[in-house]
């Protein structure tokens, strides 16, 4: 049963972190404990809220009712006003974002939130931008939330200071500002032809475009696609990603694991809505670029994994492999493949996020606990506690090596896609869908299957090599000191992946319905341009 006021909860994932972040700006930096409590409580509420929204979508969808709900902000009818759209995919991404945000904040509460100013506000603003990007129903507000993401992620990337982070942040902001310009140009060209940026309205108008305006529209869509693919990290546009994420603080990198998925989400949303089989001339527009570009990204990421000499580099190239796999699956354009890809999206994001948190714990004996480098803004650090290089935080756990080794092996199995965990289930579902595309399997499909399997083998080789050096090799160095607050978020993320494995059947059914909803162009248009939910 849907409560009368529950429709307003669709906008809460955007407003709640915004108000909490603004509230925390009223407190000075020494009031860090207060900020920590506000951030953790807000993120916990977001987790519960996003789970409720997902359950609401699933309950409506599995009972035969429309699973897509449009929320008209300010009671302005679409396509003239701002519209938020809650459906199978956006609800899934809201849950994933809130879980990663909570894990990052718990991990940072041990010591990393002391390494720079306004950490908690930036995390919440990052989550606001992510939630807004997943909920928005028009391209202009997608651009706005992309800019919120850019601003917050730039501040988070600088968190902890040091020359490597400053260098990576400058490269990151330069690339993303240029990408934003491409986004704006593409959106302007599309608006000039169609007179709208509402996605549902575009799905209605694009098939009718013809004549001299068609070339201009196709150029605008191509420029917009480049912007999305830079965000997703597709080769050769994703060269910036591994080094940038490697420079970030561990909890920041764990949250950043979902940033490349924003680009993938934009491709899923826009491409499958505007260029599906019902789109006339636009049917399957750009399909080959996604398919072969995704395969090239997998190949590039696999080579990077084998060449990497640090765990953070392996994690960064693993994100490229996952992005390439998802893009190639979208290019394949089939429901069974897409369902497996969505399952893989969740599993790989959780696995890589946990891996980023685990990396610091594994390498702690080599790098110590100190935050390297000098503060970027000296005046922001007045009155903050100092973390000394040799300070041990927490209580030493005698079985620390066994705990780290077990968690490391779990992450390796997830990222490599080896049985029996959820990564294997996802890859098996994708490969099974690829091999059943048609009676005659084309050569490019075999290439993609080989790349999916080969990337997992490369990940296994690289991570095993690193694990032997850092964990299982005999060492005279003292055992790393761990804290429950550091182990809890890693365990939480890995437990969710284990839950995906145990409940793979219900989870895959949800992914199948999600893939079906992405191809339901008429249902999406009816939900948004129909009566909607006006408030």
């Amino acid at each position: 049963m849907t409560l009368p006021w529950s429709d307003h909860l669709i906008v809460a994932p955007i407003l709640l972190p915004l108000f909490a972040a603004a509230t925390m700006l009223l407190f000075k930096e020494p009031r860090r404990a207060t900020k920590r409590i506000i951030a953790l409580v807000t993120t916990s509420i977001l987790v519960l809220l996003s789970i409720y929204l997902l359950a609401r979508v699933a309950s409506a969808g599995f009972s035969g009712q429309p699973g897509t709900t449009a929320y008209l902000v300010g009671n302005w009818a679409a396509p003239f006003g701002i519209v938020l759209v809650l459906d199978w995919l956006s609800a899934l991404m809201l849950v994933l974002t809130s879980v990663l945000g909570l894990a990052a904040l718990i991990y940072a509460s041990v010591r990393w939130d002391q390494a720079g100013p306004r950490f908690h506000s930036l995390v919440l603003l990052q989550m606001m931008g992510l939630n807004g990007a997943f909920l928005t129903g028009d391209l202009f507000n997608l651009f706005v939330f992309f800019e919120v993401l850019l601003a917050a992620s730039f501040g988070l990337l600088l968190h902890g200071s040091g020359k490597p982070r400053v260098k990576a942040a400058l490269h990151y902001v330069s690339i993303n500002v240029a990408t934003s310009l491409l986004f704006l140009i593409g959106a302007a060209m599309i608006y000039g032809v169609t007179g709208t940026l509402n996605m549902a309205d575009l799905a209605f108008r694009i098939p009718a475009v013809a004549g001299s305006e068609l070339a201009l529209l196709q150029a605008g869509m191509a420029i917009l696609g480049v912007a999305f693919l830079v965000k997703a990290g597709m080769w050769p546009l994703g060269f910036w990603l591994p080094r940038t994420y490697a420079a970030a603080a561990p909890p920041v990198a764990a949250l950043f694991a979902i940033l490349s998925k924003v680009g993938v989400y934009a491709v899923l949303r826009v491409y499958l809505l505007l260029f599906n089989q019902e789109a006339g001339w636009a049917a399957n527009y750009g399909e080959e670029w996604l398919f072969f570009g995704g395969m090239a990204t997998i190949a590039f990421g696999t080579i990077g994994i084998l060449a990497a000499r640090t765990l953070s580099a392996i994690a960064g190239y693993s994100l490229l492999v996952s992005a390439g796999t998802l893009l190639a699956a979208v290019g394949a354009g089939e429901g069974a493949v897409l369902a497996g890809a969505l399952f893989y999206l969740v599993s790989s994001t959780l696995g890589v996020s946990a891996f980023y948190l685990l990396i610091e714990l594994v390498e702690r004996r080599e790098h110590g606990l100190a935050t390297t480098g000098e503060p970027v803004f000296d005046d922001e650090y007045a009155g903050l506690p100092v973390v000394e290089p040799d300070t041990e935080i927490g209580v030493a756990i005698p079985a620390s090596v066994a705990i780290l080794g077990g968690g490391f092996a779990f992450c390796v199995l997830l990222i490599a896609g080896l049985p029996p965990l959820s990564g294997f289930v996802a890859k098996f579902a994708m490969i099974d869908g690829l091999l059943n595309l048609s009676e005659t399997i084309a050569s490019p499909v075999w290439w993609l299957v080989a790349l999916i399997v080969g990337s997992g083998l490369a990940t296994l080789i690289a991570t095993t090599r690193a694990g032997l050096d850092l964990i299982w090799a005999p060492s005279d160095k003292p055992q790393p000191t761990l804290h429950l607050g550091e182990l809890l978020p890693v365990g939480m993320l890995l437990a969710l992946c284990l839950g995906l494995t145990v409940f793979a059947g219900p989870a895959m059914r949800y992914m199948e319905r999600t893939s079906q909803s992405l191809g339901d162009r008429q249902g999406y248009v009816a939900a948004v341009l129909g009566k909607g939910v006006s408030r």
Side-chain angles (χ1 to χ4, degrees), residues 121-136:
S121 296
L122 288 172
V123 169
L124 290 181
L125 290 174
Q126 179 87 82
M127 295 179 67
M128 171 208 165
L130 287 166
N131 293 339
F134 296 141
L135 285 171
T136 186

Side-chain angles (χ1 to χ4, degrees), residues 309-316 355-356 359 362-363 408 462-463 466-467 470:
R309 288 295 178 264
T310 62
L311 289 176
S312 56
I314 292 174
F355 195 51
Y356 270 120
I359 285 172
V362 170
E363 295 181 341
F408 186 85
T463 50
L470 295 172

Side-chain angles (χ1 to χ4, degrees), residues 167-208:
K167 181 178 179 180
L170 290 176
H171 290 169
Y172 173 78
V173 75
S174 299
I175 292 168
N176 280 274
V177 166
T179 302
S180 298
L181 180 60
L182 290 176
F183 194 136
L184 205 56
I185 292 172
M189 294 173 70
I190 294 169
Y191 183 81
V193 174
T194 63
T196 184
L197 290 177
N198 182 279
M199 296 183 197
D201 203 23
L202 283 171
F204 180 75
R205 297 191 184 195
I206 281 179

Side-chain angles (χ1 to χ4, degrees), residues 468-486:
L468 289 174
D469 292 338
L470 295 172
I471 300 177
W472 296 296
S475 175
D476 296 331
K477 296 180 180 179
Q479 298 301 328
T481 303
L482 306 178
H483 191 283
L484 181 62
E486 296 168 328

Side-chain angles (χ1 to χ4, degrees), residues 104-344:
L105 284 171
I106 294 174
Y107 188 94
S109 66
V110 175
R111 71 184 188 92
W112 274 105
D113 62 0
Q114 304 176 53
R118 316 203 206 299
F119 174 79
H120 303 96
S121 296
L122 288 172
V123 169
L124 290 181
L125 290 174
Q126 179 87 82
M127 295 179 67
M128 171 208 165
L130 287 166
N131 293 339
F134 296 141
L135 285 171
T136 186
D138 65 89
L139 292 178
F140 181 77
N141 283 290
L142 182 61
F143 169 78
V144 170
F145 286 116
F146 270 17
E147 293 308 291
V148 174
L149 285 174
L150 174 61
S153 58
F154 179 64
L156 287 173
L157 189 55
L158 285 171
H159 184 75
S161 70
K163 290 183 179 179
R165 292 193 178 109
V166 174
K167 181 178 179 180
L170 290 176
H171 290 169
Y172 173 78
V173 75
S174 299
I175 292 168
N176 280 274
V177 166
T179 302
S180 298
L181 180 60
L182 290 176
F183 194 136
L184 205 56
I185 292 172
M189 294 173 70
I190 294 169
Y191 183 81
V193 174
T194 63
T196 184
L197 290 177
N198 182 279
M199 296 183 197
D201 203 23
L202 283 171
F204 180 75
R205 297 191 184 195
I206 281 179
V209 176
S212 59
E213 294 183 331
L214 181 57
L216 185 62
L217 177 62
Q218 290 175 334
M221 295 304 303
I223 294 173
L224 189 68
V226 170
F228 290 160
L229 295 176
V230 171
K231 300 285 187 181
M234 191 182 86
W235 184 87
L237 306 173
F239 60 90
W240 55 273
L241 191 149
R243 288 188 178 182
T244 300
Y245 286 19
V252 173
L255 182 58
F256 278 14
I258 198 173
L259 285 190
S260 62
K261 303 305 185 294
V262 178
V264 174
Y265 171 86
V267 171
L268 282 167
R269 176 65 70 199
V270 175
Y271 176 79
L272 294 178
L273 178 63
L274 304 184
F275 304 126
N276 61 14
Q277 299 293 336
E278 305 173 11
W281 67 264
N284 302 325
Y285 178 72
E287 180 181 89
E288 296 83 2
W289 287 100
L290 290 177
F291 187 78
F292 290 103
M295 288 200 296
T297 306
I298 299 173
F300 175 73
T302 301
I303 295 171
I305 288 173
L306 290 174
R309 288 295 178 264
T310 62
L311 289 176
S312 56
I314 292 174
Y317 284 108
S318 296
L319 281 175
L320 290 183
V321 169
S322 67
T325 304
L326 293 168
L327 293 173
V330 175
E334 293 292 334
V337 181
L338 191 57
L342 292 170
F343 195 100
Y344 177 74

